[in-house]
């Protein structure tokens, strides 16, 4: 039944993918997970740029939906084509979340293409090689990085905490002025808790790589006890947007947020200029979206050229940084000359490239992540 469902899914997606074939000599099929803004970005920005330099090629864009579920649909489609023995698959470029990118490599669904494109040397961040414990070196190029950080109101906080230890002291002196959403209703709260375990449990290097050791979680009791005490002095928010809302209304003065959402709210005037960001030691997690080329893509060479364009410094600056306030997929130093001083400073003056290198962490691998959530529910929420 499972295989049948996957084949039905593959057939449904194939109908969408072949929709544009009749209008062009060659169709490059790009399938992207993520929200509608991801589809719009590829369709209205990347596709026209690529088609302008590749006469006779049409880029056909299909969205599969937000979250890991969207990436899982792509995995199921590729797996179905693999299991049915198809020698040519109808997805040329896949845009997927970090975890599913690793799963696709494990299932031999992707091509090792990164060394074949010029921009492959422009990325050195660990998430380009490590997808929550899976070695994806050579198989993926980050499209962008989302990062969590601590937002604070600089009208009231002149020197923000620089570490979890300093934050604990600050919250004790300023009860209820720090807010987060626990481990439910948004990933910024989960990111904060993961950073807490990196600080008081086991370090990020251990928890973001294999092999998994189920006994480690038994040593985190003191970290949870400390967090339960910490939570008595915080304000719980209803989610990522809820944290920003409460910051804006002055109900809290500090809280963990997604950086791109923070800057988008500032651009829209929903947060005052006094709101700033700090990335505290030893670090907080973020996550990339990946560009990948399926193992039997019909247009492998065109797919490489498309990703090379999408990860070029010019496109990363204009499309990723300026349009979305995302951190670039390639190393930031390569995009700086393509941004104005104001554009560069908006994203990098409060959290510098060195801060990202030092304190930008990955989320834990899945079994450790499950352990952290289970431990929080049992030892902190009860």
């Amino acid at each position: 039944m499972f295989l049948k469902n996957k084949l039905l899914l593959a057939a449904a997606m194939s109908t969408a993918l072949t929709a544009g074939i009749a209008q062009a000599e060659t169709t490059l099929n790009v399938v992207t997970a993520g929200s509608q803004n991801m589809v719009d970005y590829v369709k209205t920005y990347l596709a026209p740029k690529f088609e302008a330099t590749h006469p006779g090629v049409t880029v056909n864009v299909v969205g599969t939906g937000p979250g890991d579920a969207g990436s899982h649909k792509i995995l199921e489609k590729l797996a179905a084509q693999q299991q049915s023995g198809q020698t040519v698959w109808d997805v040329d470029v896949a845009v997927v979340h970090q975890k599913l990118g690793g799963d696709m490599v494990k299932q031999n669904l992707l091509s090792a293409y990164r060394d074949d494109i010029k921009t492959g040397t422009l990325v050195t961040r660990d998430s380009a090689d490590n997808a929550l414990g899976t070695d994806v070196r050579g198989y993926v190029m980050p499209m962008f990085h989302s990062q969590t950080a601590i937002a604070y109101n600089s009208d009231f906080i002149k020197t923000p905490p620089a570490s979890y230890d300093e934050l604990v002291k600050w919250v004790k002196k300023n009860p209820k002025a720090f807010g987060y959403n626990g481990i439910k209703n948004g990933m910024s709260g989960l990111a904060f808790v993961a950073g807490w375990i990196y600080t008081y449990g086991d370090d990020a290097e251990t928890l973001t790589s294999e092999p998994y050791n189920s006994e480690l979680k038994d040593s985190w009791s003191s970290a949870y006890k400390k967090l339960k005490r910490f939570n008595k002095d915080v304000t719980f928010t209803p989610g990522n947007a809820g944290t920003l809302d409460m910051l804006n209304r002055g109900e809290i003065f500090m809280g963990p947020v997604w950086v791109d959402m923070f800057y988008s709210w500032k651009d829209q005037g929903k947060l005052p200029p006094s709101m700033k960001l700090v990335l505290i030691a030893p670090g907080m997690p973020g996550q990339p979206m990946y560009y990948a080329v399926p193992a039997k893509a019909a247009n492998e060479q065109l797919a490489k050229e498309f990703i090379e364009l999408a990860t070029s410094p010019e496109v990363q600056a204009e499309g990723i940084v300026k349009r979305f306030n995302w951190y670039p997929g390639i190393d930031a130093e390569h995009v700086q000359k393509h941004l104005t001083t104001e554009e560069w400073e908006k994203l990098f003056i409060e959290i510098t490239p060195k801060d990202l290198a030092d304190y930008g962490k990955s989320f834990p691998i899945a079994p450790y992540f499950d352990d952290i959530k289970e431990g929080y529910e049992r030892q902190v929420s009860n």
Side-chain angles (χ1 to χ4, degrees), residues 6-328:
K6 286 198 292 185
L7 291 171
L8 288 172
L9 172 66
M13 290 180 66
S14 292
T15 299
L17 290 170
T18 56
I21 288 177
Q23 287 89 39
E25 294 179 14
T26 303
T27 298
L28 184 75
N29 286 314
V30 179
V31 181
T32 177
S35 301
Q36 185 60 38
N37 63 349
M38 294 282 290
V39 179
D40 293 342
Y41 173 65
V42 179
K43 185 177 292 185
T44 65
Y45 179 71
L46 288 180
K49 276 185 172 293
F50 189 73
E51 290 168 351
T53 56
H54 292 74
V57 175
T58 292
V59 177
N60 184 42
V61 185
V62 175
T64 57
D68 283 349
S71 291
H72 203 269
K73 290 178 183 175
I74 300 174
L75 183 151
E76 287 188 347
K77 176 179 174 58
L78 298 180
Q81 293 186 98
Q82 181 190 56
Q83 291 172 30
S84 66
Q86 292 185 30
T87 56
V88 178
W89 301 349
D90 59 3
V91 176
D92 297 307
V93 176
V95 185
V96 297
H97 294 80
Q98 186 179 26
K99 180 181 183 303
L100 274 298
D103 291 345
M104 290 178 186
V105 170
K106 287 180 181 176
Q107 296 184 37
N108 299 315
L109 297 174
L110 301 182
S111 169
Y113 74 95
R114 198 167 86 202
D115 290 343
D116 298 335
I117 62 175
K118 295 176 183 176
T119 54
T121 60
L122 304 183
V123 59
T124 58
R125 193 163 167 168
D126 59 351
S127 57
D129 296 335
N130 183 341
L132 306 184
T134 300
D135 186 352
V136 294
R137 193 186 315 266
Y139 289 88
V140 300
M141 275 290 286
M143 176 186 188
F144 65 85
H145 281 90
S146 291
Q147 177 65 48
T148 55
I150 302 295
Y152 67 97
N153 189 329
S154 64
D155 283 343
F156 300 96
I157 304 168
K158 301 305 179 187
T159 305
S163 68
Y164 271 84
D165 282 345
E166 291 184 15
L167 177 64
V168 170
K169 294 177 181 175
W170 186 90
V171 167
K172 193 170 184 178
K173 292 179 180 176
N174 302 275
K176 305 300 181 184
F178 176 89
Y180 81 111
N181 53 297
I183 63 168
K184 296 180 179 178
N185 302 319
M187 287 292 286
S188 61
L190 268 167
F192 176 76
V193 172
W196 184 281
I197 297 298
Y198 293 160
T199 309
Y200 303 114
D202 285 285
D203 62 30
E205 185 174 353
T206 299
L207 302 185
T208 57
S209 58
E210 300 281 4
Y212 168 65
N213 179 357
S214 62
E215 295 179 356
L216 283 187
K217 64 179 183 296
D218 297 332
S219 65
W220 300 342
S221 295
S222 62
Y224 288 128
K225 184 177 180 181
K226 191 179 181 73
L227 183 53
K228 188 167 186 173
R229 173 65 189 85
F230 175 85
N231 278 356
K232 290 181 178 178
D233 290 329
V234 310
T235 297
F236 283 100
T237 70
N240 299 323
T243 301
L244 290 168
D245 263 335
M246 294 180 78
L247 281 164
N248 184 46
R249 293 196 296 266
E251 296 173 15
I252 57 175
F253 292 159
M254 195 185 300
V257 299
W258 286 102
V259 171
D260 57 300
M261 184 183 290
F262 173 86
Y263 283 123
S264 294
W265 278 47
K266 285 191 81 170
D267 289 346
Q268 297 162 17
K270 296 163 68 175
L271 286 175
S274 60
M275 295 295 176
K276 294 186 177 181
L277 292 173
V278 61
L279 185 54
I280 60 176
M284 294 177 63
Q287 58 186 353
M289 290 288 288
Y290 290 144
Y291 286 115
V293 179
K296 297 187 184 300
N299 300 292
E300 182 179 3
Q301 182 55 39
L302 281 175
K304 294 176 185 176
E305 293 172 16
F306 181 87
I307 295 172
E308 192 171 83
L309 169 73
T311 54
S312 64
E314 297 88 344
V315 169
Q316 288 277 297
E318 172 65 31
I320 297 298
V321 176
K322 292 170 67 173
R323 286 180 175 232
F324 291 105
N325 296 312
W326 286 325
Y327 288 114

